[in-house]
Amino acid sequence: MSKLIGILTSGGDTPGLNSAIRAVGKTLLHEGGYTLIGFLDGYRGLMENRFVELNDSYLSGIITRGGTILGSSRDKPHKMPVGGKIMDMTDVIVQNYHDNHLSGLVCLGGGGTQKNSYRLASAGLNVMTLPKTIDNDVMHTDVSFGYDTAMMIATEAVDRLHSTAHSHHRIIILETMGHKVGWLALGSGLAGGADVILLPEIPYDEQVVADAILRRSREGKKFSIVVVAEGAISKRMAAIRQEEKDGEEKVEAMLKTRTGELAANLEKLTGRETRVTILGYLQRGGTPTPYDRLLSTALGSRCALEIMAENWGHMMAYQKNTIVPVPLKKVAGPVKYIPENHYLVECARHMGVCLGS
Ligand code: F6P
């Protein structure tokens, strides 16, 4: 009798999810002895026992498709909205896993998914994970799939904004995704030649940003491109987060209008017309780059091999040009922030890119 493996995608979608599902499935089917089923809409589908069989025809022709053929959600097993309440549905999930006679479960997701998967592994399930996120903030993997595609989209946006900023002698602020970390803003900002890059890891001072723009004006450069991560905060916001009661909630609320306010303040401080572009979900949409297809394919195929070896409780990671299994226990929890002395941060500083502080 063939062994049954479940797979699901959880959290925000990213390009590369379908190629990863395809690689897990094709490797298992090719090697033989396995049947793969896909639970729909993340952990919710596992809780509600909604799934489809991922046979060969289901897995064909999906390598180029963006999003996830399985659907996704941000529902967590231990905090699931059910009937207007938030419930711990871990027991139901464990029961469904056993009732379906699953031999294992593969969860594709970012930092939150790694934590939730570790919880399920601790509840006795055989779990494997793959790291996907455009934010690139999963620990113990050099890169997660989805990041390269988002980088390409964000970099193209920086490129295109240059010509219009130049024509109108304006400051243009591009807001990229990246709530906790600034990998996308840093990468696309540097690749696109932005003049200012603001990251969640480095609280900024608006006056410092304005001074950098004014310095450019004195040098005869009449436009500036500012790339700001959605989670970047000013020094004042950082102080509120640290010192005030409910500081975290206050800062979250302030972030909703932060980019517009930054634009208004820079306009006042520099006297230059300022415009905002919020890139938003464009960064998560569409077909994956060849790099993301290869990365997700290699991670997915290796995952299938680890399933065959019954080496449960691991995330497949990309480290130093190869794929390695990393214990979920190590991955679950910590966030991969940009280190202060990261080579790209140092490179930006040495090249005179303003980082806001
Ligand atoms: O996938 C991560 C991310 O892109 C974050 O940068 C962003 O804050 C978040 O998703 C927003 O996603 P959603 O609105 O789908 O929850």
Side-chain angles (χ1 to χ4, degrees), residues 239-299:
I240 293 173
R241 179 179 271 168
Q242 247 194 343
E243 291 156 21
E244 292 191 17
K245 190 173 172 280
D246 304 327
E248 191 57 50
E249 290 75 10
K250 284 181 188 157
V251 168
E252 283 305 311
M254 292 166 90
L255 277 173
K256 293 197 166 53
T257 53
R258 188 275 333 266
T259 304
E261 280 159 16
L262 177 63
N265 293 341
L266 288 182
E267 201 161 78
K268 251 186 255 155
L269 292 168
T270 63
R272 287 232 171 265
E273 233 183 355
T274 305
R275 294 287 192 268
V276 166
T277 297
I278 297 185
L279 208 45
Y281 295 91
L282 276 176
Q283 292 156 105
R284 286 196 344 211
T287 190
T289 57
Y291 181 90
D292 272 339
R293 291 183 206 180
L294 289 180
L295 178 62
S296 53
T297 296
L299 289 165

Side-chain angles (χ1 to χ4, degrees), residues 16-194:
L17 280 168
N18 290 328
S19 35
I21 295 168
R22 173 180 175 273
V24 174
K26 288 214 172 214
T27 308
L28 286 175
L29 300 185
H30 176 76
E31 296 292 334
Y34 288 88
T35 302
L36 185 67
I37 58 172
F39 288 96
L40 305 175
D41 307 327
Y43 296 108
R44 176 160 292 274
L46 183 55
M47 189 273 283
E48 293 171 352
N49 213 23
R50 289 185 288 116
F51 58 85
V52 289
E53 186 185 331
L54 296 174
N55 54 28
D56 196 50
S57 63
Y58 223 104
L59 297 170
S60 284
I62 62 171
I63 195 167
T64 55
R65 275 173 67 181
T68 159
I69 56 166
L70 296 176
S72 191
S73 71
R74 292 202 180 271
D75 292 324
K76 305 173 176 70
H78 66 298
K79 280 186 189 167
M80 182 104 42
V82 182
K85 285 192 201 146
I86 303 293
M87 312 260 289
D88 184 349
M89 301 306 280
T90 308
D91 289 350
V92 177
I93 283 175
V94 170
Q95 195 57 48
N96 284 346
Y97 176 97
H98 291 303
D99 289 350
N100 285 316
H101 302 289
L102 285 177
S103 295
L105 177 70
V106 184
C107 303
L108 280 55
T113 303
Q114 306 306 326
K115 277 197 265 182
N116 292 321
S117 301
Y118 180 58
R119 283 196 189 96
L120 293 183
S122 308
L125 307 192
N126 293 332
V127 183
M128 296 289 195
T129 67
L130 300 184
K132 70 87 208 160
T133 163
I134 66 160
D135 292 347
N136 197 32
D137 58 352
V138 174
M139 282 294 278
H140 301 295
T141 183
D142 296 348
V143 64
S144 298
F145 61 85
Y147 176 63
D148 186 64
T149 309
M151 275 280 291
M152 185 197 71
I153 296 164
T155 303
E156 188 183 347
V158 181
D159 292 349
R160 287 180 182 274
L161 290 174
H162 263 93
S163 60
T164 175
H166 179 264
S167 305
H168 289 270
H169 313 310
R170 283 174 173 157
I171 300 171
I172 297 194
I173 304 179
L174 175 72
E175 182 190 293
T176 66
M177 277 191 169
H179 200 79
K180 293 186 187 142
V181 299
W183 294 105
L184 197 47
L186 178 63
S188 61
L190 262 183

